[in-house]
C-alpha cells in the first residue's frame, strides 16, 4: 500500500470512530487522532482525540487546537475527558477524575466516596468533589 493510500485509510478511520459511544471509543483510543496531529486545525464540539493515554472531547462549539493549551488543568472550558458510560445512580455512580461537567441528580464517586450532584455545573470542573460539597455536591 502506498503512503498516500495509508494516510487516506487512517483519515477515514479517524472520522468513523468519532461516532462511537463512550464505552466503545475507550476500547479503541489508538484509532483517534492525537492532540499533536490536530494542532492548528479547527474542530467542532464533541470532536474526540487522544492525549497521553486518555481520550478527550472538545466542549466548545468550535475550537482551533493550539499547542500551548493541551488537555488538563486550566483547559477545562476547552476539553473534557471521555469516561466509560455509567448510569449515575447510587448503585452505578460515575467515576470522577476531574475535568467533567456534573449533572444534577446523578451520583459520582471519587476516592471511594459517593457524592450526589445537587446542581448542574454546565461547564467541566476540575475541583475534587469534596471541595464542591455545598455548592454542587453533597456527601452520601
Amino acid at each position: 500500500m502506498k503512503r498516500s493510500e495509508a494516510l487516506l485509510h487512517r483519515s477515514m478511520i479517524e472520522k468513523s470512530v468519532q461516532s462511537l459511544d463512550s464505552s466503545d471509543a475507550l476500547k479503541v483510543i489508538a484509532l483517534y487522532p492525537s492532540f499533536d496531529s490536530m494542532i492548528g486545525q479547527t474542530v467542532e464540539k464533541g470532536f474526540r482525540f487522544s492525549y497521553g493515554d486518555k481520550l478527550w472531547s472538545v466542549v466548545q462549539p468550535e475550537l482551533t487546537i493550539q499547542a500551548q493549551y493541551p488537555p488538563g488543568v486550566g483547559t477545562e472550558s476547552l476539553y473534557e475527558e471521555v469516561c466509560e458510560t455509567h448510569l449515575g445512580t447510587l448503585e452505578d455512580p460515575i467515576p470522577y477524575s476531574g475535568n467533567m461537567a456534573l449533572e444534577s441528580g446523578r451520583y459520582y464517586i471519587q476516592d471511594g466516596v459517593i457524592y450526589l450532584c445537587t446542581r448542574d455545573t454546565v461547564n467541566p470542573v476540575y475541583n475534587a468533589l469534596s471541595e464542591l460539597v455545598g455548592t454542587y455536591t453533597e456527601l452520601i
Side-chain angles (χ1 to χ4, degrees):
M1 181 181 311
K2 295 179 183 177
R3 180 167 164 67
S4 60
E5 289 176 349
L7 290 174
L8 176 61
H9 288 197
R10 177 69 188 183
S11 176
M12 290 170 55
I13 290 169
E14 289 176 352
K15 287 179 184 174
S16 67
V17 295
Q18 292 294 326
S19 63
L20 293 176
D21 65 35
S22 297
S23 294
D24 289 336
L26 290 168
K27 295 173 187 172
V28 294
I29 293 175
L31 298 179
Y32 285 85
S34 68
F35 174 80
D36 291 337
S37 72
M38 296 306 301
I39 293 172
Q41 296 188 40
T42 301
V43 296
E44 295 181 9
K45 182 177 183 172
F47 180 84
R48 295 176 177 165
F49 60 91
S50 64
Y51 181 72
D53 60 349
K54 297 180 179 181
L55 188 62
W56 298 86
S57 178
V58 172
V59 297
Q60 295 292 316
E62 185 176 272
L63 178 70
T64 300
I65 305 292
Q66 298 179 44
Q68 68 269 30
Y69 300 118
V73 177
T75 60
E76 295 85 358
S77 66
L78 304 178
Y79 322 106
E80 68 180 340
E81 183 181 351
V82 176
C83 298
E84 188 173 344
T85 304
H86 289 271
L87 297 176
T89 62
L90 186 57
E91 297 77 23
D92 187 22
I94 300 166
Y96 177 82
S97 61
N99 204 23
M100 293 172 61
L102 303 177
E103 295 179 39
S104 180
R106 299 189 97 187
Y107 291 86
Y108 296 84
I109 188 166
Q110 185 177 36
D111 299 327
V113 179
I114 298 176
Y115 299 83
L116 172 64
C117 178
T118 57
R119 189 175 95 186
D120 291 339
T121 62
V122 181
N123 293 313
V125 292
Y126 196 79
N127 303 65
L129 293 176
S130 61
E131 296 173 5
L132 300 175
V133 171
T135 306
Y136 292 106
T137 64
E138 67 181 41
L139 186 61
I140 299 301

